[in-house]
PDB file of all heavy atoms in Angstrom:
ATOM      1  N   HIS A 238     133.939 141.248 395.934  1.00 95.00           N
ATOM      2  CA  HIS A 238     133.778 141.478 394.505  1.00 95.00           C
ATOM      3  C   HIS A 238     135.133 141.762 393.854  1.00 95.00           C
ATOM      4  O   HIS A 238     135.892 142.602 394.334  1.00 95.00           O
ATOM      5  CB  HIS A 238     132.838 142.662 394.260  1.00 95.00           C
ATOM      6  CG  HIS A 238     131.441 142.412 394.726  1.00 95.00           C
ATOM      7  ND1 HIS A 238     130.452 141.942 393.902  1.00 95.00           N
ATOM      8  CD2 HIS A 238     130.880 142.538 395.954  1.00 95.00           C
ATOM      9  CE1 HIS A 238     129.334 141.809 394.585  1.00 95.00           C
ATOM     10  NE2 HIS A 238     129.573 142.163 395.832  1.00 95.00           N
ATOM     11  N   HIS A 239     135.408 141.080 392.771  1.00 95.00           N
ATOM     12  CA  HIS A 239     136.621 141.331 391.992  1.00 95.00           C
ATOM     13  C   HIS A 239     136.291 142.153 390.762  1.00 95.00           C
ATOM     14  O   HIS A 239     135.300 141.899 390.068  1.00 95.00           O
ATOM     15  CB  HIS A 239     137.266 140.018 391.536  1.00 95.00           C
ATOM     16  CG  HIS A 239     138.254 140.233 390.420  1.00 95.00           C
ATOM     17  ND1 HIS A 239     139.513 140.768 390.644  1.00 95.00           N
ATOM     18  CD2 HIS A 239     138.152 140.044 389.070  1.00 95.00           C
ATOM     19  CE1 HIS A 239     140.141 140.883 389.488  1.00 95.00           C
ATOM     20  NE2 HIS A 239     139.346 140.460 388.520  1.00 95.00           N
ATOM     21  N   ARG A 240     137.132 143.143 390.506  1.00 97.00           N
ATOM     22  CA  ARG A 240     137.122 143.881 389.233  1.00 97.00           C
ATOM     23  C   ARG A 240     138.565 144.091 388.799  1.00 97.00           C
ATOM     24  O   ARG A 240     139.440 144.296 389.649  1.00 97.00           O
ATOM     25  CB  ARG A 240     136.454 145.252 389.357  1.00 97.00           C
ATOM     26  CG  ARG A 240     134.951 145.219 389.622  1.00 97.00           C
ATOM     27  CD  ARG A 240     134.624 145.456 391.062  1.00 97.00           C
ATOM     28  NE  ARG A 240     133.181 145.515 391.298  1.00 97.00           N
ATOM     29  CZ  ARG A 240     132.641 145.771 392.480  1.00 97.00           C
ATOM     30  NH1 ARG A 240     133.409 145.995 393.536  1.00 97.00           N
ATOM     31  NH2 ARG A 240     131.331 145.797 392.626  1.00 97.00           N
ATOM     32  N   PRO A 241     138.852 144.086 387.514  1.00 97.00           N
ATOM     33  CA  PRO A 241     140.210 144.419 387.075  1.00 97.00           C
ATOM     34  C   PRO A 241     140.524 145.867 387.412  1.00 97.00           C
ATOM     35  O   PRO A 241     139.631 146.710 387.547  1.00 97.00           O
ATOM     36  CB  PRO A 241     140.167 144.188 385.564  1.00 97.00           C
ATOM     37  CG  PRO A 241     138.733 144.294 385.197  1.00 97.00           C
ATOM     38  CD  PRO A 241     137.954 143.808 386.373  1.00 97.00           C
ATOM     39  N   MET A 242     141.790 146.160 387.551  1.00 98.00           N
ATOM     40  CA  MET A 242     142.198 147.516 387.925  1.00 98.00           C
ATOM     41  C   MET A 242     141.681 148.553 386.937  1.00 98.00           C
ATOM     42  O   MET A 242     141.310 149.673 387.320  1.00 98.00           O
ATOM     43  CB  MET A 242     143.724 147.577 388.013  1.00 98.00           C
ATOM     44  CG  MET A 242     144.257 148.860 388.617  1.00 98.00           C
ATOM     45  SD  MET A 242     143.824 148.955 390.370  1.00 98.00           S
ATOM     46  CE  MET A 242     144.330 150.625 390.741  1.00 98.00           C
ATOM     47  N   SER A 243     141.640 148.189 385.680  1.00 98.00           N
ATOM     48  CA  SER A 243     141.187 149.138 384.662  1.00 98.00           C
ATOM     49  C   SER A 243     139.739 149.565 384.893  1.00 98.00           C
ATOM     50  O   SER A 243     139.358 150.691 384.554  1.00 98.00           O
ATOM     51  CB  SER A 243     141.318 148.528 383.259  1.00 98.00           C
ATOM     52  OG  SER A 243     140.585 147.325 383.168  1.00 98.00           O
ATOM     53  N   ARG A 244     138.942 148.693 385.492  1.00 98.00           N
ATOM     54  CA  ARG A 244     137.544 149.054 385.742  1.00 98.00           C
ATOM     55  C   ARG A 244     137.459 150.151 386.804  1.00 98.00           C
ATOM     56  O   ARG A 244     136.705 151.116 386.652  1.00 98.00           O
ATOM     57  CB  ARG A 244     136.769 147.823 386.172  1.00 98.00           C
ATOM     58  CG  ARG A 244     135.287 148.064 386.435  1.00 98.00           C
ATOM     59  CD  ARG A 244     134.468 146.892 385.945  1.00 98.00           C
ATOM     60  NE  ARG A 244     133.106 146.902 386.439  1.00 98.00           N
ATOM     61  CZ  ARG A 244     132.133 147.664 385.938  1.00 98.00           C
ATOM     62  NH1 ARG A 244     132.397 148.507 384.932  1.00 98.00           N
ATOM     63  NH2 ARG A 244     130.923 147.614 386.427  1.00 98.00           N
ATOM     64  N   TYR A 245     138.208 150.010 387.869  1.00 98.00           N
ATOM     65  CA  TYR A 245     138.227 151.071 388.882  1.00 98.00           C
ATOM     66  C   TYR A 245     138.688 152.391 388.270  1.00 98.00           C
ATOM     67  O   TYR A 245     138.060 153.443 388.470  1.00 98.00           O
ATOM     68  CB  TYR A 245     139.182 150.700 390.018  1.00 98.00           C
ATOM     69  CG  TYR A 245     138.723 149.551 390.881  1.00 98.00           C
ATOM     70  CD1 TYR A 245     139.361 148.316 390.819  1.00 98.00           C
ATOM     71  CD2 TYR A 245     137.672 149.707 391.787  1.00 98.00           C
ATOM     72  CE1 TYR A 245     138.951 147.256 391.627  1.00 98.00           C
ATOM     73  CE2 TYR A 245     137.260 148.657 392.599  1.00 98.00           C
ATOM     74  CZ  TYR A 245     137.907 147.432 392.511  1.00 98.00           C
ATOM     75  OH  TYR A 245     137.507 146.395 393.308  1.00 98.00           O
ATOM     76  N   MET A 246     139.789 152.334 387.524  1.00 98.00           N
ATOM     77  CA  MET A 246     140.353 153.571 386.988  1.00 98.00           C
ATOM     78  C   MET A 246     139.400 154.239 386.003  1.00 98.00           C
ATOM     79  O   MET A 246     139.216 155.458 386.024  1.00 98.00           O
ATOM     80  CB  MET A 246     141.689 153.277 386.310  1.00 98.00           C
ATOM     81  CG  MET A 246     142.710 152.593 387.211  1.00 98.00           C
ATOM     82  SD  MET A 246     143.119 153.537 388.703  1.00 98.00           S
ATOM     83  CE  MET A 246     144.240 154.750 388.019  1.00 98.00           C
ATOM     84  N   THR A 247     138.771 153.450 385.146  1.00 98.00           N
ATOM     85  CA  THR A 247     137.846 153.997 384.152  1.00 98.00           C
ATOM     86  C   THR A 247     136.666 154.685 384.827  1.00 98.00           C
ATOM     87  O   THR A 247     136.253 155.788 384.424  1.00 98.00           O
ATOM     88  CB  THR A 247     137.354 152.883 383.223  1.00 98.00           C
ATOM     89  OG1 THR A 247     138.469 152.322 382.529  1.00 98.00           O
ATOM     90  CG2 THR A 247     136.346 153.413 382.217  1.00 98.00           C
ATOM     91  N   LEU A 248     136.112 154.058 385.865  1.00 98.00           N
ATOM     92  CA  LEU A 248     134.955 154.635 386.547  1.00 98.00           C
ATOM     93  C   LEU A 248     135.321 155.910 387.298  1.00 98.00           C
ATOM     94  O   LEU A 248     134.567 156.883 387.302  1.00 98.00           O
ATOM     95  CB  LEU A 248     134.359 153.608 387.512  1.00 98.00           C
ATOM     96  CG  LEU A 248     133.659 152.417 386.856  1.00 98.00           C
ATOM     97  CD1 LEU A 248     133.335 151.346 387.901  1.00 98.00           C
ATOM     98  CD2 LEU A 248     132.383 152.867 386.143  1.00 98.00           C
ATOM     99  N   LEU A 249     136.474 155.923 387.945  1.00 98.00           N
ATOM    100  CA  LEU A 249     136.897 157.115 388.685  1.00 98.00           C
ATOM    101  C   LEU A 249     137.183 158.281 387.739  1.00 98.00           C
ATOM    102  O   LEU A 249     136.815 159.432 388.016  1.00 98.00           O
ATOM    103  CB  LEU A 249     138.128 156.784 389.523  1.00 98.00           C
ATOM    104  CG  LEU A 249     137.845 155.880 390.741  1.00 98.00           C
ATOM    105  CD1 LEU A 249     139.111 155.171 391.195  1.00 98.00           C
ATOM    106  CD2 LEU A 249     137.245 156.700 391.885  1.00 98.00           C
ATOM    107  N   LEU A 250     137.812 157.992 386.608  1.00 98.00           N
ATOM    108  CA  LEU A 250     138.065 159.049 385.623  1.00 98.00           C
ATOM    109  C   LEU A 250     136.751 159.545 385.013  1.00 98.00           C
ATOM    110  O   LEU A 250     136.579 160.746 384.797  1.00 98.00           O
ATOM    111  CB  LEU A 250     138.997 158.519 384.534  1.00 98.00           C
ATOM    112  CG  LEU A 250     140.437 158.249 384.970  1.00 98.00           C
ATOM    113  CD1 LEU A 250     141.182 157.470 383.884  1.00 98.00           C
ATOM    114  CD2 LEU A 250     141.164 159.558 385.279  1.00 98.00           C
ATOM    115  N   ALA A 251     135.824 158.631 384.762  1.00 98.00           N
ATOM    116  CA  ALA A 251     134.535 159.016 384.188  1.00 98.00           C
ATOM    117  C   ALA A 251     133.721 159.869 385.149  1.00 98.00           C
ATOM    118  O   ALA A 251     132.868 160.656 384.713  1.00 98.00           O
ATOM    119  CB  ALA A 251     133.739 157.762 383.804  1.00 98.00           C
ATOM    120  N   ALA A 252     133.989 159.732 386.450  1.00 98.00           N
ATOM    121  CA  ALA A 252     133.293 160.556 387.447  1.00 98.00           C
ATOM    122  C   ALA A 252     133.876 161.963 387.530  1.00 98.00           C
ATOM    123  O   ALA A 252     133.420 162.777 388.337  1.00 98.00           O
ATOM    124  CB  ALA A 252     133.365 159.878 388.815  1.00 98.00           C
ATOM    125  N   GLY A 253     134.871 162.258 386.704  1.00 98.00           N
ATOM    126  CA  GLY A 253     135.456 163.590 386.662  1.00 98.00           C
ATOM    127  C   GLY A 253     136.551 163.815 387.683  1.00 98.00           C
ATOM    128  O   GLY A 253     136.949 164.957 387.927  1.00 98.00           O
ATOM    129  N   LEU A 254     137.078 162.744 388.267  1.00 98.00           N
ATOM    130  CA  LEU A 254     138.116 162.861 389.285  1.00 98.00           C
ATOM    131  C   LEU A 254     139.502 162.783 388.649  1.00 98.00           C
ATOM    132  O   LEU A 254     139.672 162.212 387.576  1.00 98.00           O
ATOM    133  CB  LEU A 254     137.951 161.761 390.333  1.00 98.00           C
ATOM    134  CG  LEU A 254     136.592 161.746 391.039  1.00 98.00           C
ATOM    135  CD1 LEU A 254     136.476 160.525 391.939  1.00 98.00           C
ATOM    136  CD2 LEU A 254     136.365 163.027 391.842  1.00 98.00           C
ATOM    137  N   GLN A 255     140.480 163.338 389.339  1.00 98.00           N
ATOM    138  CA  GLN A 255     141.865 163.327 388.858  1.00 98.00           C
ATOM    139  C   GLN A 255     142.745 162.584 389.861  1.00 98.00           C
ATOM    140  O   GLN A 255     142.690 162.857 391.060  1.00 98.00           O
ATOM    141  CB  GLN A 255     142.383 164.759 388.686  1.00 98.00           C
ATOM    142  CG  GLN A 255     141.686 165.534 387.578  1.00 98.00           C
ATOM    143  CD  GLN A 255     142.224 166.949 387.427  1.00 98.00           C
ATOM    144  OE1 GLN A 255     142.959 167.435 388.280  1.00 98.00           O
ATOM    145  NE2 GLN A 255     141.864 167.604 386.343  1.00 98.00           N
ATOM    146  N   LEU A 256     143.556 161.670 389.356  1.00 98.00           N
ATOM    147  CA  LEU A 256     144.463 160.908 390.202  1.00 98.00           C
ATOM    148  C   LEU A 256     145.695 161.756 390.518  1.00 98.00           C
ATOM    149  O   LEU A 256     146.355 162.261 389.612  1.00 98.00           O
ATOM    150  CB  LEU A 256     144.893 159.625 389.491  1.00 98.00           C
ATOM    151  CG  LEU A 256     145.851 158.709 390.259  1.00 98.00           C
ATOM    152  CD1 LEU A 256     145.186 158.132 391.501  1.00 98.00           C
ATOM    153  CD2 LEU A 256     146.334 157.580 389.344  1.00 98.00           C
ATOM    154  N   VAL A 257     145.989 161.901 391.815  1.00 98.00           N
ATOM    155  CA  VAL A 257     147.161 162.688 392.210  1.00 98.00           C
ATOM    156  C   VAL A 257     148.184 161.866 392.984  1.00 98.00           C
ATOM    157  O   VAL A 257     149.312 162.319 393.195  1.00 98.00           O
ATOM    158  CB  VAL A 257     146.749 163.922 393.050  1.00 98.00           C
ATOM    159  CG1 VAL A 257     145.897 164.867 392.215  1.00 98.00           C
ATOM    160  CG2 VAL A 257     146.009 163.515 394.316  1.00 98.00           C
ATOM    161  N   ARG A 258     147.810 160.647 393.423  1.00 98.00           N
ATOM    162  CA  ARG A 258     148.757 159.813 394.155  1.00 98.00           C
ATOM    163  C   ARG A 258     148.354 158.345 394.032  1.00 98.00           C
ATOM    164  O   ARG A 258     147.176 158.013 394.129  1.00 98.00           O
ATOM    165  CB  ARG A 258     148.783 160.207 395.632  1.00 98.00           C
ATOM    166  CG  ARG A 258     149.861 159.491 396.455  1.00 98.00           C
ATOM    167  CD  ARG A 258     149.681 159.796 397.934  1.00 98.00           C
ATOM    168  NE  ARG A 258     149.770 161.230 398.189  1.00 98.00           N
ATOM    169  CZ  ARG A 258     150.841 161.854 398.654  1.00 98.00           C
ATOM    170  NH1 ARG A 258     151.935 161.159 398.918  1.00 98.00           N
ATOM    171  NH2 ARG A 258     150.830 163.159 398.869  1.00 98.00           N
ATOM    172  N   PHE A 259     149.365 157.502 393.809  1.00 98.00           N
ATOM    173  CA  PHE A 259     149.147 156.049 393.785  1.00 98.00           C
ATOM    174  C   PHE A 259     150.333 155.388 394.466  1.00 98.00           C
ATOM    175  O   PHE A 259     151.479 155.633 394.092  1.00 98.00           O
ATOM    176  CB  PHE A 259     149.014 155.529 392.345  1.00 98.00           C
ATOM    177  CG  PHE A 259     148.679 154.067 392.272  1.00 98.00           C
ATOM    178  CD1 PHE A 259     147.372 153.647 392.130  1.00 98.00           C
ATOM    179  CD2 PHE A 259     149.672 153.094 392.368  1.00 98.00           C
ATOM    180  CE1 PHE A 259     147.052 152.301 392.080  1.00 98.00           C
ATOM    181  CE2 PHE A 259     149.369 151.754 392.324  1.00 98.00           C
ATOM    182  CZ  PHE A 259     148.056 151.345 392.172  1.00 98.00           C
ATOM    183  N   GLU A 260     150.055 154.581 395.487  1.00 97.00           N
ATOM    184  CA  GLU A 260     151.126 153.922 396.240  1.00 97.00           C
ATOM    185  C   GLU A 260     150.777 152.449 396.454  1.00 97.00           C
ATOM    186  O   GLU A 260     149.602 152.096 396.604  1.00 97.00           O
ATOM    187  CB  GLU A 260     151.308 154.568 397.616  1.00 97.00           C
ATOM    188  CG  GLU A 260     151.703 156.019 397.606  1.00 97.00           C
ATOM    189  CD  GLU A 260     151.849 156.554 399.025  1.00 97.00           C
ATOM    190  OE1 GLU A 260     152.168 155.760 399.937  1.00 97.00           O
ATOM    191  OE2 GLU A 260     151.619 157.762 399.212  1.00 97.00           O
ATOM    192  N   GLU A 261     151.805 151.620 396.501  1.00 97.00           N
ATOM    193  CA  GLU A 261     151.686 150.250 396.969  1.00 97.00           C
ATOM    194  C   GLU A 261     152.636 150.116 398.164  1.00 97.00           C
ATOM    195  O   GLU A 261     153.752 149.628 398.029  1.00 97.00           O
ATOM    196  CB  GLU A 261     152.024 149.260 395.861  1.00 97.00           C
ATOM    197  CG  GLU A 261     151.016 149.280 394.724  1.00 97.00           C
ATOM    198  CD  GLU A 261     151.411 148.387 393.578  1.00 97.00           C
ATOM    199  OE1 GLU A 261     152.406 148.720 392.894  1.00 97.00           O
ATOM    200  OE2 GLU A 261     150.738 147.361 393.372  1.00 97.00           O
ATOM    201  N   PRO A 262     152.203 150.588 399.327  1.00 98.00           N
ATOM    202  CA  PRO A 262     153.126 150.677 400.467  1.00 98.00           C
ATOM    203  C   PRO A 262     153.534 149.302 400.980  1.00 98.00           C
ATOM    204  O   PRO A 262     152.735 148.361 400.985  1.00 98.00           O
ATOM    205  CB  PRO A 262     152.308 151.441 401.516  1.00 98.00           C
ATOM    206  CG  PRO A 262     150.884 151.219 401.133  1.00 98.00           C
ATOM    207  CD  PRO A 262     150.870 151.118 399.641  1.00 98.00           C
ATOM    208  N   PRO A 263     154.769 149.170 401.435  1.00 98.00           N
ATOM    209  CA  PRO A 263     155.219 147.908 402.013  1.00 98.00           C
ATOM    210  C   PRO A 263     154.767 147.786 403.460  1.00 98.00           C
ATOM    211  O   PRO A 263     154.387 148.779 404.100  1.00 98.00           O
ATOM    212  CB  PRO A 263     156.742 148.030 401.938  1.00 98.00           C
ATOM    213  CG  PRO A 263     156.981 149.500 402.111  1.00 98.00           C
ATOM    214  CD  PRO A 263     155.839 150.180 401.385  1.00 98.00           C
ATOM    215  N   ALA A 264     154.810 146.576 403.972  1.00 98.00           N
ATOM    216  CA  ALA A 264     154.608 146.368 405.402  1.00 98.00           C
ATOM    217  C   ALA A 264     155.859 146.827 406.140  1.00 98.00           C
ATOM    218  O   ALA A 264     156.980 146.494 405.744  1.00 98.00           O
ATOM    219  CB  ALA A 264     154.335 144.900 405.687  1.00 98.00           C
ATOM    220  N   ILE A 265     155.677 147.580 407.220  1.00 96.00           N
ATOM    221  CA  ILE A 265     156.823 148.127 407.939  1.00 96.00           C
ATOM    222  C   ILE A 265     156.906 147.618 409.374  1.00 96.00           C
ATOM    223  O   ILE A 265     157.679 148.129 410.172  1.00 96.00           O
ATOM    224  CB  ILE A 265     156.798 149.663 407.941  1.00 96.00           C
ATOM    225  CG1 ILE A 265     155.539 150.192 408.639  1.00 96.00           C
ATOM    226  CG2 ILE A 265     156.876 150.198 406.519  1.00 96.00           C
ATOM    227  CD1 ILE A 265     155.571 151.687 408.874  1.00 96.00           C
ATOM    228  N   GLY A 266     156.104 146.621 409.698  1.00 95.00           N
ATOM    229  CA  GLY A 266     156.125 146.065 411.045  1.00 95.00           C
ATOM    230  C   GLY A 266     155.349 144.775 411.078  1.00 95.00           C
ATOM    231  O   GLY A 266     155.013 144.203 410.046  1.00 95.00           O
ATOM    232  N   GLY A 267     155.055 144.326 412.280  1.00 96.00           N
ATOM    233  CA  GLY A 267     154.295 143.107 412.448  1.00 96.00           C
ATOM    234  C   GLY A 267     155.178 141.879 412.516  1.00 96.00           C
ATOM    235  O   GLY A 267     156.405 141.966 412.407  1.00 96.00           O
ATOM    236  N   PRO A 268     154.578 140.709 412.675  1.00 96.00           N
ATOM    237  CA  PRO A 268     155.349 139.465 412.747  1.00 96.00           C
ATOM    238  C   PRO A 268     156.192 139.272 411.484  1.00 96.00           C
ATOM    239  O   PRO A 268     155.686 139.448 410.373  1.00 96.00           O
ATOM    240  CB  PRO A 268     154.259 138.385 412.862  1.00 96.00           C
ATOM    241  CG  PRO A 268     153.051 139.105 413.381  1.00 96.00           C
ATOM    242  CD  PRO A 268     153.126 140.491 412.833  1.00 96.00           C
ATOM    243  N   PRO A 269     157.461 138.935 411.621  1.00 96.00           N
ATOM    244  CA  PRO A 269     158.336 138.800 410.444  1.00 96.00           C
ATOM    245  C   PRO A 269     157.799 137.888 409.342  1.00 96.00           C
ATOM    246  O   PRO A 269     157.894 138.260 408.169  1.00 96.00           O
ATOM    247  CB  PRO A 269     159.643 138.278 411.042  1.00 96.00           C
ATOM    248  CG  PRO A 269     159.646 138.820 412.429  1.00 96.00           C
ATOM    249  CD  PRO A 269     158.217 138.789 412.887  1.00 96.00           C
ATOM    250  N   PRO A 270     157.222 136.715 409.650  1.00 92.00           N
ATOM    251  CA  PRO A 270     156.708 135.885 408.542  1.00 92.00           C
ATOM    252  C   PRO A 270     155.607 136.587 407.751  1.00 92.00           C
ATOM    253  O   PRO A 270     155.570 136.501 406.518  1.00 92.00           O
ATOM    254  CB  PRO A 270     156.190 134.631 409.254  1.00 92.00           C
ATOM    255  CG  PRO A 270     156.934 134.574 410.539  1.00 92.00           C
ATOM    256  CD  PRO A 270     157.118 136.000 410.940  1.00 92.00           C
ATOM    257  N   ALA A 271     154.711 137.261 408.465  1.00 93.00           N
ATOM    258  CA  ALA A 271     153.634 137.975 407.773  1.00 93.00           C
ATOM    259  C   ALA A 271     154.184 139.142 406.966  1.00 93.00           C
ATOM    260  O   ALA A 271     153.748 139.398 405.843  1.00 93.00           O
ATOM    261  CB  ALA A 271     152.604 138.471 408.790  1.00 93.00           C
ATOM    262  N   ARG A 272     155.154 139.848 407.533  1.00 96.00           N
ATOM    263  CA  ARG A 272     155.753 140.980 406.821  1.00 96.00           C
ATOM    264  C   ARG A 272     156.473 140.510 405.564  1.00 96.00           C
ATOM    265  O   ARG A 272     156.360 141.121 404.496  1.00 96.00           O
ATOM    266  CB  ARG A 272     156.710 141.726 407.751  1.00 96.00           C
ATOM    267  CG  ARG A 272     157.303 142.984 407.133  1.00 96.00           C
ATOM    268  CD  ARG A 272     158.050 143.796 408.157  1.00 96.00           C
ATOM    269  NE  ARG A 272     159.253 143.144 408.635  1.00 96.00           N
ATOM    270  CZ  ARG A 272     159.436 142.726 409.886  1.00 96.00           C
ATOM    271  NH1 ARG A 272     158.476 142.875 410.792  1.00 96.00           N
ATOM    272  NH2 ARG A 272     160.577 142.149 410.242  1.00 96.00           N
TER     273      ARG A 272
END
């Protein structure tokens, strides 16, 4: 299922939750082409 990012954020905020961390971590290992 695809949803735009704003849909996730809106629903989580509406549930009364607070965002404390957001990361887009890089790949740090694995086969070089895939990394």
Side-chain angles (χ1 to χ4, degrees):
H238 295 266
H239 163 76
R240 292 101 176 183
M242 190 68 188
S243 57
R244 181 142 166 79
Y245 291 109
M246 304 301 282
T247 298
L248 290 170
L249 288 158
L250 291 169
L254 302 174
Q255 293 180 348
L256 180 66
V257 296
R258 186 188 301 260
F259 185 96
E260 298 180 28
E261 293 175 291
I265 61 170
R272 184 171 68 245

